[in-house]
Amino acid sequence: QVQLVQSGAEIKTPGASVRVSCEASGYTFSNYGFTWVRQAPGQGLEWVGWISAYTGDTKFAQRLQGRVTLTTDTSTGTAYMELRSLTSDDTAVYYCARDSPAAAVSPLEYWGQGTLVTVSS
Amino acid sequence: QSVLTQPPSVSGAPGQRVTISCTGSGSNIGAGFDVHWYQHLPGRVPKLLISNNVNRPSGVPDRFSGSKSGTSASLAITGLQAEDEADYYCQSYDSSLRGSRVFGGGTKLSVL
């Protein structure tokens, strides 16, 4: 069965960077992509970005452009999200979800369990 | 402010029917891009409820249905149950935002 397992909670200071991993299993990794979504405390779901595990193409939310990097490692079946220059506004639960390998949106049927990133001095 | 607009909250009594709207524009829903709906319970992982405007994934009760018309989409829930109390989000694709996936702001459903 399809499983996405994310790395554990992180506590970071303002200005630092964080990398969250998402290990996939149960399907052919390079046939799909990943969308990353976050939810800040008391807020709704916010799309962070998308990467194709097939082509490596990426797209990002405009407000995060320049601070976020998405990568995949086909050899280990793992997707990564790195967010730099953290501020308290980046405190959120970050989710990975399996997505289309192409630009067109596909429904997000499989999700990781979420990773809490806390930014605090 | 979300590109897709949802009412912040809706409510209904057990057994009643409620609808949640998702209003977009000509660069997303109105351009023909599909809408997906998710149910998010506190402390849980979002769950796909409706895919491609009207399709229910396996295991989703037929009390949940989706529709789409013009620049809007709707999620209908009939026979409300206490366990339906959750946040609901619509999602689509917006061609004006460098090919971004976009979520609605979310709607809190309260079962009275």
Side-chain angles (χ1 to χ4, degrees):
Chain A
Q1 72 281 20
V2 175
Q3 279 194 306
L4 302 178
V5 179
Q6 298 183 222
S7 49
E10 303 264 12
I11 299 176
K12 297 292 182 181
T13 55
S17 299
V18 68
R19 190 172 84 153
V20 178
S21 67
C22 172
E23 184 175 358
S25 61
Y27 69 96
T28 302
F29 183 80
S30 57
N31 284 357
Y32 292 86
F34 291 88
T35 266
W36 290 84
V37 177
R38 72 180 183 179
Q39 184 178 38
Q43 303 298 311
L45 299 178
E46 179 185 17
W47 181 73
V48 171
W50 163 87
I51 182 167
S52 170
Y54 181 68
T55 63
D57 288 346
T58 54
K59 296 187 185 297
F60 303 102
Q62 286 184 332
R63 59 178 275 174
L64 295 175
Q65 191 98 28
R67 290 204 297 132
V68 61
T69 300
L70 300 181
T71 57
T72 58
D73 183 341
T74 303
S75 66
T76 61
T78 304
Y80 298 93
M81 181 208 69
E82 181 185 35
L83 188 59
R84 300 175 293 279
S85 302
L86 292 168
T87 72
S88 58
D89 289 344
D90 295 315
T91 294
V93 176
Y94 288 76
Y95 296 98
C96 64
R98 194 181 77 170
D99 199 341
S100 163
V105 175
S106 71
L108 305 176
E109 186 174 4
Y110 300 100
W111 294 68
Q113 81 276 20
T115 297
L116 175 61
V117 174
T118 303
V119 183
S120 174
S121 55
Chain B
Q1 194 163 354
S2 302
V3 172
L4 304 179
T5 301
Q6 298 181 233
S9 64
V10 297
S11 62
Q16 285 190 331
R17 177 182 188 271
V18 297
T19 61
I20 298 173
S21 61
C22 175
T23 302
S25 66
S27 62
N28 42 68
I29 300 175
F33 296 113
D34 287 335
V35 177
H36 315 301
W37 290 91
Y38 302 89
Q39 179 190 59
H40 194 196
L41 293 159
R44 305 287 297 274
V45 175
K47 173 187 174 182
L48 178 65
L49 207 59
I50 298 289
S51 64
N52 301 99
N53 310 312
V54 298
N55 299 318
R56 275 189 313 277
S58 174
V60 174
D62 59 7
R63 301 187 295 106
F64 295 91
S65 63
S67 64
K68 176 188 161 186
S69 178
T71 59
S72 296
S74 289
L75 172 70
I77 310 172
T78 59
L80 264 183
Q81 299 180 4
E83 66 206 49
D84 298 332
E85 189 160 290
D87 295 320
Y88 292 83
Y89 296 88
C90 59
Q91 181 211 10
S92 188
Y93 177 96
D94 193 292
S95 59
S96 70
L97 298 175
R98 296 186 182 181
S100 291
R101 281 95 166 109
V102 289
F103 282 98
T107 299
K108 169 67 177 177
L109 168 62
S110 298
V111 180
L112 304 173

